[in-house]
Amino acid sequence: MGQRTQAAVGCLSTLVGLGAGIAVWNVRADGRVHRFEQGPDWRVFYVDLPLCLGGGALAGALAGVLLTRLITARRAGPPTPG
């Protein structure tokens, strides 16, 4: 696998992780931003959103690293007995 392909896999997996983080945040923040007869819960934006985005990006980056390692290990073939 070339360096460009590895970089593309890493970037795409991180973007997918960011999308997953946004989706998780959207589900968790549903109804908490504008509550009936109460003020908005600002922690949704300055605590939950960065945590979900950071966790999603980290999970995506780790998935990209694992995917790259699996592909390169599969191409290398079985280890030779030494």
Side-chain angles (χ1 to χ4, degrees), residues 31-57:
R32 288 177 49 194
V33 177
H34 297 291
R35 294 180 286 179
F36 183 68
E37 294 185 0
Q38 294 178 355
D41 187 7
W42 294 107
R43 290 178 297 165
V44 172
F45 293 106
Y46 66 81
V47 174
D48 287 349
L49 182 60
L51 285 175
C52 286
L53 290 178

Side-chain angles (χ1 to χ4, degrees), residues 11-81:
C11 289
L12 288 175
S13 64
T14 302
L15 286 175
V16 168
L18 279 173
I22 290 173
V24 167
W25 175 78
N26 189 24
V27 169
R28 290 190 63 199
D30 189 28
R32 288 177 49 194
V33 177
H34 297 291
R35 294 180 286 179
F36 183 68
E37 294 185 0
Q38 294 178 355
D41 187 7
W42 294 107
R43 290 178 297 165
V44 172
F45 293 106
Y46 66 81
V47 174
D48 287 349
L49 182 60
L51 285 175
C52 286
L53 290 178
L58 182 64
L62 290 175
V65 168
L66 290 175
L67 184 64
T68 303
R69 297 272 175 151
L70 286 174
I71 291 172
T72 55
R74 187 172 287 171
R75 284 187 177 215
T80 57

